[in-house]
Amino acid sequence: VGTIYNLARFFGINNRRINDLSLEILEDRHFWKILGYWIAEGSLTYGTLRENRSVIRFTFGSHETDYINEVKDFFNKYNIHVGEDYTIRNSCTLKLSSSQLASWLKFNFSEGSGNFTLPDWFFGLPEDLFFEFLAGYFNGDGNCRSNGDFVITSISKSLLLGIQLNLLRFGIISSVNNNSTGGIKLANFGFGSTYINSKDSYILKINGNQNNDSKFAYIKDNKLYVKIKTIEEGYYDGDVYDITTPSNTFCACGYIVHNS
């Protein structure tokens, strides 16, 4: 566990220049749930060379008082003031200023919901902390269907693929598929309609009954077997490499494959 915390501390944090955040915050189990809230509902304005002030935002519905109070109470515990802005569209934006935390968030998770991803060291995060993160993220972007399936929707495919691979560490199978196609669409905001340029969205689904998930994949002897749905020919113009390993098995694009 200590190694993971050290990686999280030193990736993107300059302790010699910025000292506005206690590193003990990363050892607080509740922090990882708050991180999940931010990935689902957050954004940041990163400080420039002229101004070192960085603002971290969480945007919730005004009715989501439990989440609002949870974020406020957490940061107040570390003497970080959290401001509140309520809008006429029934939303509440929480704002806090921490250059060090903003730097860490930007370096490890990128910025902008379409670009969010999980850093490599997340694959070593202990199980309890990963599921704290997932609980916070699910509260923001997830829901449970009537058939027991858990689904999470995002415009960041790379983020969902990262969560999918992490779930496999704990023997949980999920699927990631295209949910909607972006483009110019007519949106109704309640006070009128306008055209917006929307992005593609993706959905991660966790089957509520993993024992019956063998239609497309199953786990046996600590290995994941995925059914091939279709095989299509495609055009490729580039170099081709023959990879040989002692076991003839290697990782490619997130899959463990066998050279046969």
Side-chain angles (χ1 to χ4, degrees):
V1 177
T3 301
I4 300 304
Y5 289 142
N6 288 334
L7 286 172
R9 286 189 181 108
F10 293 114
F11 270 76
I13 291 180
N14 186 337
N15 291 313
R16 294 171 298 177
R17 185 169 58 88
I18 304 173
N19 297 294
D20 66 348
L21 177 69
S22 169
L23 294 181
E24 293 179 0
I25 196 172
L26 297 175
E27 298 185 12
D28 191 325
R29 178 174 174 173
H30 198 194
F31 168 78
W32 301 95
K33 186 176 182 182
I34 300 299
L35 175 62
Y37 285 143
W38 184 78
I39 292 293
E41 311 290 359
S43 61
L44 64 86
T45 301
Y46 189 63
T48 64
L49 294 176
R50 295 183 179 180
E51 183 181 7
N52 199 33
R53 184 172 182 267
S54 301
V55 179
I56 301 167
R57 295 178 174 83
F58 297 77
T59 301
F60 297 104
S62 299
H63 63 285
E64 296 177 311
T65 54
D66 289 344
Y67 302 156
I68 293 171
N69 292 331
E70 193 174 356
V71 173
K72 289 171 54 180
D73 291 344
F74 176 80
F75 285 108
N76 287 338
K77 183 171 65 173
Y78 290 93
N79 298 316
I80 299 176
H81 174 70
V82 179
E84 297 177 72
D85 283 339
Y86 288 86
T87 70
I88 59 173
R89 293 178 58 185
N90 297 320
S91 67
C92 173
T93 298
L94 303 179
K95 299 186 294 183
L96 58 111
S97 179
S98 172
S99 298
Q100 196 170 18
L101 183 56
S103 174
W104 184 81
L105 290 171
K106 181 180 180 181
F107 186 91
N108 286 284
F109 304 95
S110 187
E111 60 179 328
S113 57
N115 299 317
F116 281 146
T117 187
L118 295 184
D120 291 341
W121 55 259
F122 230 74
F123 293 101
L125 200 64
E127 181 177 4
D128 60 333
L129 301 186
F130 173 74
F131 281 103
E132 285 286 340
F133 163 79
L134 192 61
Y137 184 55
F138 181 83
N139 284 342
D141 283 346
N143 64 83
C144 182
R145 292 177 173 175
S146 58
N147 63 356
D149 292 348
F150 295 90
V151 297
I152 298 175
T153 303
S154 174
I155 60 174
S156 174
K157 186 177 182 180
S158 61
L159 172 64
L160 296 184
L161 290 175
I163 293 176
Q164 181 186 44
L165 287 176
N166 269 276
L167 288 171
L168 285 176
R169 294 197 288 136
F170 313 110
I172 299 176
I173 298 174
S174 61
S175 60
V176 175
N177 297 291
N178 191 284
N179 185 49
S180 66
T181 303
I184 304 299
K185 297 182 180 180
L186 182 65
N188 190 325
F189 292 102
F191 51 81
S193 299
T194 186
Y195 287 96
I196 61 173
N197 187 9
S198 63
K199 297 182 179 180
D200 293 354
S201 68
Y202 304 89
I203 186 169
L204 179 145
K205 186 184 74 170
I206 303 173
N207 192 304
N209 187 346
Q210 290 284 300
N211 293 330
N212 292 334
D213 212 25
S214 58
K215 294 180 180 179
F216 72 94
Y218 64 92
I219 295 176
K220 183 179 180 181
D221 298 330
N222 205 31
K223 295 182 176 65
L224 173 69
Y225 296 86
V226 182
K227 181 179 180 180
I228 298 176
K229 294 182 179 180
T230 59
I231 298 178
E232 299 179 1
E233 292 185 2
Y235 176 76
Y236 174 75
D237 183 13
D239 295 330
V240 178
Y241 298 93
D242 181 20
I243 299 177
T244 301
T245 65
S247 64
N248 291 318
T249 300
F250 52 92
C251 183
C253 300
Y255 292 94
I256 303 297
V257 297
H258 184 72
N259 186 10
S260 60

